[in-house]
């Protein structure tokens, strides 16, 4: 016991790995160092003899000493534990020291000592700062992506609105008697507008892929039907160039699979459309085979007899905004996004796409996938579900019907639905689009009333009796979503049978479709729309309301 009393009571502090120091409160109220362990002396680069019996100001001097003494006196005054961080010169660097200072009291409750522990948190601070900078950079990148998406959506809307007028009036024009020159002019206008729409669709789709927002809708589908429909759709375009478009579906290949049939259609459309672009003579062949037991058993190959691709250019064609640019090759119109989108979509579906080509002999693009097989019953059930729910979650399809269209006479009135007496309210602020709707529906004898904003639509609905409302989404004063909500509220309040409300809009994002349905709309028709699409939707409303 006598030997232990002679041991320095602070000697055990050296066994602690981090810096520890003790200050004693003098008669003058000033805290002075009376102990410091080895790590504390190492951090301060002082010897024990240089600090003992001195205040922080006397030891360190300057700003560091003033700040240290201020912290010590603060604990003395408040008699409470505090934690603080101070920058501390250490050799040729400045360390950030995090210190916890605790008061100690004697049995009488008098403050006698302060015990401090310090840790160099410079590395933690740098890591936290780096993480914060990373978070800020990530937030800014996400903001930039959202800004780009909003910009592209706005551009798409602004382009689609006048495009609806151009394509709608072209379609109405071809229902009149035209001579050869007039027919050529109208087809040129329509095909140019369709090419512009293709570019808009590609840019929007590529933007979704870049932001990893591309979604897959997995359902049973008939691949055999899909290939046949694609060949039928693009056949006139190939025929216009004197090309044969051949379907070659292997007899032993399954007919139906489980996957995203719409995305597969998009891929095949891109590949066949590309083949037609770059082939002047010969044929394009769309082949389907199935290799049982392979990792990717389903093979879709699109072969052409076109110009071919040099070996050094074959990887480049899958890059965004790239086309092979050689003097001997004609540069085609387009964004250069088709194959980039194709690769991204195929890889998103777990497959791969490749190209084999020889200059002057043609190219073969092969898509390999691993879809589970399905039965005809699965396909029928999937189609029934799609019809019941409304098939809206797919990229826009292109329409090539105008290519080399035959001479047309005015539309046969007997082929049009008889909508006489059907009361249709059209909320549309664009005069050209009002005219398109009016001219498309006029032969059906439906009763049309036009308003130019959502507020007028609600007022007209409140004052009248309507079977169908065609509702634009973006309008002045009040938009279509709010107008729809108010109309549904009026119906509920008056116990009215709900009328059919169809969104008629240039907003084409999936979120727009979801917002429209959530607001209470029944269907969605995006601009530019075809006459048959509009007639079909309005006619279905007539049938549901009991009209003939």
């Amino acid at each position: 016991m006598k030997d232990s009393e002679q041991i320095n009571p602070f000697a055990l502090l050296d066994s602690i790995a981090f810096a520890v120091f003790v200050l004693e409160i003098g008669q003058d109220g000033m805290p002075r160092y009376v102990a410091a362990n080895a790590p504390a002396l190492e951090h301060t680069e002082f010897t024990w003899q240089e600090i003992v019996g001195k205040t922080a100001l006397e030891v360190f001097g300057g700003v560091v000493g003033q700040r240290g003494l201020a912290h010590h006196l603060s604990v003395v005054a408040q008699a409470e534990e505090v934690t603080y961080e101070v920058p501390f010169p250490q050799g040729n660097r400045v360390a950030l020291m995090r210190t916890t200072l605790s008061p100690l009291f004697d049995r009488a409750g008098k403050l006698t000592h302060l015990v401090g522990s310090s840790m160099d948190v410079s590395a933690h601070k740098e890591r936290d700062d780096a993480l914060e900078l990373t978070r800020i950079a990530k937030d800014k990148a996400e903001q930039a992506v959202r800004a780009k998406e909003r910009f592209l959506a706005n551009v798409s809307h602004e382009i689609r609105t006048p495009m609806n007028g151009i394509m709608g009036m072209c379609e109405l024009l071809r229902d009149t008697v035209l001579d050869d020159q007039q027919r050529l002019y109208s087809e040129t206008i329509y095909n140019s507008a369709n090419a512009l729409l293709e570019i808009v669709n590609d840019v929007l789709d590529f933007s979704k892929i870049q932001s990893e927002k591309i979604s897959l809708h997995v359902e049973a589908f008939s691949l055999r039907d899909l290939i046949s429909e694609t060949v039928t759709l693009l056949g006139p375009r190939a025929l216009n160039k004197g090309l044969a478009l051949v379907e070659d579906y292997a007899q032993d290949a399954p007919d139906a699979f489980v996957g995203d049939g719409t995305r597969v259609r998009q891929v095949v459309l891109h590949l066949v459309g590309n083949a037609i672009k770059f082939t002047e003579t010969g044929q394009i062949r769309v082949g389907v085979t199935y290799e049982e037991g392979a990792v990717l058993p389903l093979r879709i190959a699109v072969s052409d007899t076109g110009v071919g691709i040099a070996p050094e250019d074959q990887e480049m064609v899958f890059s965004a905004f790239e086309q092979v640019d050689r003097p001997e090759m004609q540069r085609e119109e387009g964004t250069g996004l088709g194959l980039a989108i194709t690769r991204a979509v195929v890889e998103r579906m777990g497959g791969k796409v490749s190209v084999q080509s020889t200059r002057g002999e043609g190219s073969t693009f092969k898509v390999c996938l691993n879809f589970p097989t399905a039965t005809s019953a699965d396909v029928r059930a999937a189609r029934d579900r799609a019809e019941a729910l409304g098939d809206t979650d797919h990229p826009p399809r292109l329409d090539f019907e105008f290519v080399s269209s035959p001479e047309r006479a005015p539309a046969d009135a007997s082929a049009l639905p008889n909508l006489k007496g059907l009361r249709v309210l059209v909320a549309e602020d664009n005069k050209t689009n009002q005219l398109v709707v009016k001219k498309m529906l006029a032969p059906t004898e439906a009763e049309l009333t036009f308003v130019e904003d959502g507020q007028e639509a609600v007022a007209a609905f409140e004052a009248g009796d309507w079977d169908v409302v065609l509702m634009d989404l973006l309008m002045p004063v009040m938009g279509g979503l709010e107008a729809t909500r108010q109309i549904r509220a009026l119906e509920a309040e008056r116990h009215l049978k709900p009328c059919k409300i169809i969104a008629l809009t240039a907003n084409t994002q999936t979120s727009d479709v979801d917002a429209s349905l959530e607001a209470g709309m029944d269907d969605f028709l995006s601009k530019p729309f075809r006459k048959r699409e509009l007639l079909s939707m309005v006619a279905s409303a007539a049938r549901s309301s009991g009209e003939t």
Side-chain angles (χ1 to χ4, degrees):
M1 187 68 176
K2 183 176 180 181
D3 291 339
S4 65
E5 289 176 352
Q6 294 176 355
I7 295 176
N8 182 347
F10 303 121
L12 294 176
L13 296 181
D14 286 338
S15 65
I16 300 175
F18 52 86
V20 179
F21 57 89
V22 181
L23 301 107
E24 185 176 19
I25 312 303
Q27 295 296 325
D28 58 357
M30 298 297 287
R32 292 177 174 85
Y33 292 98
V34 294
N37 68 354
L41 295 174
E42 183 180 344
H43 279 300
T44 60
E45 299 181 347
F46 286 105
T47 65
W48 169 240
Q49 290 75 17
E50 290 175 316
I51 70 168
V52 64
K54 297 178 181 179
T55 66
L57 179 58
E58 292 170 331
V59 173
F60 302 106
V63 175
V64 174
Q66 291 174 0
R67 188 184 294 118
L69 180 59
H71 283 303
H72 299 168
L73 292 174
S74 175
V75 176
V76 171
Q78 298 177 19
E80 293 180 353
E81 181 180 284
V82 297
T83 298
Y84 53 89
E85 293 179 356
V86 293
F88 191 85
Q90 201 172 70
N92 58 358
R93 63 185 282 266
V94 176
L96 184 67
M97 304 299 295
R98 179 176 296 157
T99 299
T100 298
L101 199 58
S102 304
L104 290 182
F105 304 88
D106 62 15
R107 292 180 179 178
K110 179 183 177 182
L111 178 61
T112 60
H113 293 81
L114 302 178
V115 178
S117 60
S118 295
M119 181 179 295
D120 186 348
V121 294
S122 303
H124 299 286
K125 183 67 173 176
E126 290 169 0
R127 181 198 62 194
D128 292 344
D129 289 345
L131 289 174
E132 180 64 14
L133 289 174
T134 301
R135 185 193 63 78
I136 292 172
K138 182 175 179 289
D139 288 346
K140 287 185 176 180
E142 290 175 350
Q143 289 173 8
V145 169
R146 287 193 294 269
K148 182 182 72 173
E149 289 175 352
R150 286 194 299 270
F151 170 75
L152 289 175
N154 289 338
V155 168
S156 171
H157 179 273
E158 294 304 320
I159 291 176
R160 286 174 182 277
T161 297
M163 286 280 288
N164 189 62
I166 295 170
M167 299 178 77
M169 295 308 290
C170 266
E171 189 170 8
L172 292 167
L173 180 62
R174 71 171 184 165
D175 283 337
T176 65
V177 178
L178 304 174
D179 59 32
D180 290 344
Q181 189 175 48
Q182 291 168 335
R183 187 170 62 255
L184 173 63
Y185 291 166
S186 66
E187 290 182 358
T188 302
I189 294 170
Y190 190 90
N191 290 332
S192 297
N194 207 41
L196 178 58
L197 185 61
E198 182 178 355
I199 291 172
V200 172
N201 290 339
D202 278 354
V203 171
L204 287 174
D205 225 13
F206 186 69
S207 175
K208 290 180 183 177
I209 290 169
Q210 278 191 313
S211 58
E212 299 182 351
K213 290 189 176 179
I214 182 173
S215 59
L216 298 179
H217 181 66
V218 178
E219 192 71 273
F221 70 98
S222 170
L223 181 61
R224 189 181 292 274
D225 289 349
L226 184 153
I227 297 297
S228 295
E229 290 166 4
T230 303
V231 169
T232 300
L233 178 66
L234 296 180
R237 182 191 268 191
L239 187 62
N240 192 50
K241 294 184 70 174
L243 303 173
L245 181 54
V246 180
E247 177 185 349
D248 184 14
Y249 202 106
Q251 291 297 320
D252 59 348
D255 287 355
F257 296 88
V258 177
D260 192 328
T262 301
R263 290 294 178 184
V264 175
R265 182 192 303 274
Q266 181 184 20
V267 166
V268 178
L269 277 171
H270 275 308
L271 293 180
V272 178
N274 244 30
I276 294 172
K277 269 186 185 180
F278 294 101
T279 304
E280 297 302 323
T281 59
Q283 69 174 14
I284 291 95
R285 180 176 295 273
V286 185
V288 177
T289 58
Y290 192 82
E291 187 176 332
E292 194 76 46
V295 176
L296 299 172
L298 176 59
R299 316 285 171 83
I300 303 172
V302 178
S303 304
D304 63 59
T305 55
V307 295
I309 306 168
E312 63 269 23
D313 294 327
Q314 289 179 14
E315 183 62 26
M316 184 191 73
V317 298
F318 291 104
S319 300
F321 306 106
E322 293 287 354
Q323 292 184 5
V324 176
D325 191 10
R326 295 183 176 274
E328 66 272 23
M329 296 181 63
Q330 179 181 353
R331 188 172 179 85
E332 294 287 337
E333 295 179 353
T335 59
L337 287 174
L339 290 177
I341 292 171
T342 295
R343 168 174 276 184
V345 169
V346 170
E347 290 179 352
R348 179 72 175 81
M349 293 189 293
K352 67 177 183 178
V353 60
S354 60
V355 59
Q356 294 179 336
S357 183
T358 302
R359 290 295 304 280
E361 296 182 12
S363 306
T364 297
F365 285 85
K366 183 181 290 185
V367 174
C368 300
L369 297 164
N370 183 18
F371 287 160
T373 57
T375 65
S376 299
D378 295 329
V379 174
R380 286 194 297 272
R383 286 176 177 168
D384 291 343
R385 283 193 295 272
E387 290 176 3
L389 298 174
D391 182 18
T392 56
D393 186 20
H394 59 77
R397 298 183 187 177
L398 304 180
D399 181 7
F400 302 102
E401 184 180 319
F402 245 54
V403 179
S404 295
S405 60
E407 183 173 359
R408 297 177 60 90
D412 182 3
S414 63
L416 295 172
N418 180 10
L419 304 179
K420 187 174 182 179
L422 189 75
R423 298 167 296 277
V424 181
L425 176 63
V426 184
E428 169 64 69
D429 62 310
N430 184 280
K431 295 293 186 182
T432 302
N433 287 330
Q434 287 184 8
L435 181 61
V436 169
V437 173
K438 180 178 180 181
K439 292 298 183 182
M440 286 184 173
L441 292 180
T444 68
E445 299 187 55
E447 298 175 10
L448 304 177
T449 299
F450 291 87
V451 294
E452 297 191 358
D453 61 64
Q455 186 169 295
E456 289 183 9
V458 174
F461 186 88
E462 192 170 10
D465 184 18
W466 307 96
D467 301 303
V468 184
V469 178
L470 301 178
M471 184 77 76
D472 192 10
L473 294 191
L474 295 182
M475 293 181 289
V477 185
M478 181 187 292
L481 297 178
E482 178 58 27
T484 298
R485 283 189 280 265
Q486 292 194 21
I487 287 173
R488 293 307 188 204
L490 280 171
E491 289 174 336
E493 180 183 324
R494 298 179 177 182
H495 305 289
L496 299 175
K497 179 183 177 182
C499 78
K500 185 161 186 175
I501 303 180
I502 302 171
L504 201 64
T505 177
N507 294 35
T508 60
Q509 301 296 313
T510 303
S511 58
D512 298 314
V513 179
D514 294 340
S516 300
L517 298 178
E518 287 173 6
M521 296 188 186
D522 301 288
D523 220 327
F524 191 95
L525 185 58
S526 62
K527 300 172 184 174
F529 51 81
R530 298 298 308 275
K531 180 178 179 180
R532 62 171 178 265
E533 294 172 333
L534 180 63
L535 291 176
S536 174
M537 283 196 177
V538 175
S540 68
R543 288 191 295 271
S544 64
S545 65
E547 300 289 337
T548 59

